[in-house]
Amino acid sequence: MKIIILGAPGAGKGTVAKLLCGLDGSIQISTGDILRAAVRAGTELGKKAKGFMDRGDLVPDTLIMDIMEARLQEPDCEKGFILDGFPRTINQAEELKDLCKKLNIKLDFVVNLEVPRDVILDRLTTRRTCSNPECQEIYNIKSNPPTADGKCKKCGSAVIQRDDETEEAIVYRLETYNEKTAPLIGFYENEGLLKKFASISSKETVEEIKKSLKS
Ligand code: AMP
């Protein structure tokens, strides 16, 4: 499958993308994961991106498009991909459209995950992530806590709150989403590619997406 997953931070894009990958071997491409890995590795890209990310701002489109142009040409994308967290601006969506034409890629559709704001705020402020870059297991202090001493159940590393998941950064990320990313819903509606899904439970959402892929 070749799909884009849109949704506010905390809408469950990553979780839904992971579940979808298991269906047919398509790969998940998360620009957020790529950028976090670059920050950890201290690369030039990481150094340029870090300040934007810590503030909850979007990283400039040119950096993102360079990453994606290279990534979409890697051999593992041939089977299919699920774009999680990209595109994030109208400009990125337009450039992606041109890139798809150039690389002869046809998208199946664009999924919009619709989640009420109070659910999103609650999810993000209670989300914790395993600090081990190889693991990055996601926890939730209410519904899926780590061990009693705050360690990852999979690998034993410390489970932490991401720098961009403090309450202040989250409110700012949601404002950025409303201003810069929400307009993509109209963009893909016009392209005839948009499908909307209420995303309360990721598993149910995946079942609905599966049905859409068949039809
Ligand atoms: P995410 O994990 O998708 O929420 O991304 C974390 C952060 O990485 C965002 O708050 C942005 O600073 C940056 N980021 C990820 N994807 C993009 C993108 N497509 N365009 C601009 N910035 C991005």
Side-chain angles (χ1 to χ4, degrees):
M1 72 185 95
K2 291 185 174 144
I3 64 176
I4 295 173
I5 305 192
L6 291 181
K13 298 185 294 293
T15 311
V16 168
K18 277 198 183 72
L19 291 169
L20 286 171
C21 286
L23 297 180
D24 70 352
S26 295
I27 52 154
Q28 175 189 12
I29 303 179
S30 155
T31 38
D33 284 350
I34 294 171
L35 291 167
R36 279 185 288 277
V39 170
R40 276 195 306 273
T43 63
E44 274 309 303
L45 169 67
K47 283 180 199 149
K48 285 182 191 155
K50 189 174 186 316
F52 295 100
M53 295 173 75
D54 287 349
R55 285 193 299 276
D57 266 327
L58 292 183
V59 170
D61 289 341
T62 47
L63 287 181
I64 298 291
M65 291 316 301
D66 287 349
I67 296 173
M68 289 308 294
E69 176 151 12
R71 186 67 188 90
L72 287 172
Q73 294 183 71
E74 285 177 30
D76 61 350
C77 290
E78 270 166 31
K79 232 179 155 187
F81 52 75
I82 297 147
L83 302 184
D84 154 18
F86 170 84
R88 282 276 236 286
T89 62
I90 292 282
N91 182 46
Q92 289 180 18
E94 277 166 352
E95 291 204 31
L96 175 64
K97 191 175 165 185
D98 293 344
L99 188 59
C100 285
K101 248 187 229 152
K102 185 170 131 191
L103 302 178
N104 212 6
I105 291 172
K106 190 177 173 304
L107 296 173
D108 293 307
F109 52 78
V110 177
V111 168
N112 187 41
L113 298 180
E114 300 185 322
V115 184
R117 186 185 159 93
D118 55 335
V119 175
I120 283 186
L121 272 176
D122 187 59
R123 268 191 202 165
L124 286 177
T125 48
T126 53
R127 184 152 88 174
R128 300 291 182 271
T129 309
C130 173
S131 58
N132 172 3
E134 305 295 316
C135 176
Q136 293 193 61
E137 184 73 2
I138 303 286
Y139 291 91
N140 182 290
I141 50 174
K142 287 187 191 163
S143 59
N144 174 30
T147 63
D149 59 348
K151 297 280 165 26
C152 175
K153 288 180 185 165
K154 274 197 171 165
C155 75
S157 304
V159 169
I160 54 159
Q161 186 171 30
R162 266 168 41 181
D163 286 344
D164 64 353
E165 286 182 347
T166 60
E167 188 130 11
E168 198 188 359
I170 288 165
V171 168
Y172 189 63
R173 278 165 73 201
L174 288 174
E175 278 169 17
T176 306
Y177 166 80
N178 285 335
E179 186 193 328
K180 307 236 168 89
T181 309
L184 293 183
I185 298 169
F187 178 92
Y188 284 116
E189 222 153 21
N190 284 340
E191 296 281 310
L193 284 170
L194 193 79
K195 287 184 193 271
K196 298 176 181 173
F197 298 88
S199 178
I200 298 297
S201 137
S202 302
K203 280 194 183 137
E204 281 168 31
T205 306
V206 168
E207 286 309 312
E208 292 301 313
I209 297 174
K210 259 160 73 177
K211 279 185 212 154
S212 284
L213 279 164
K214 281 184 195 142
S215 63

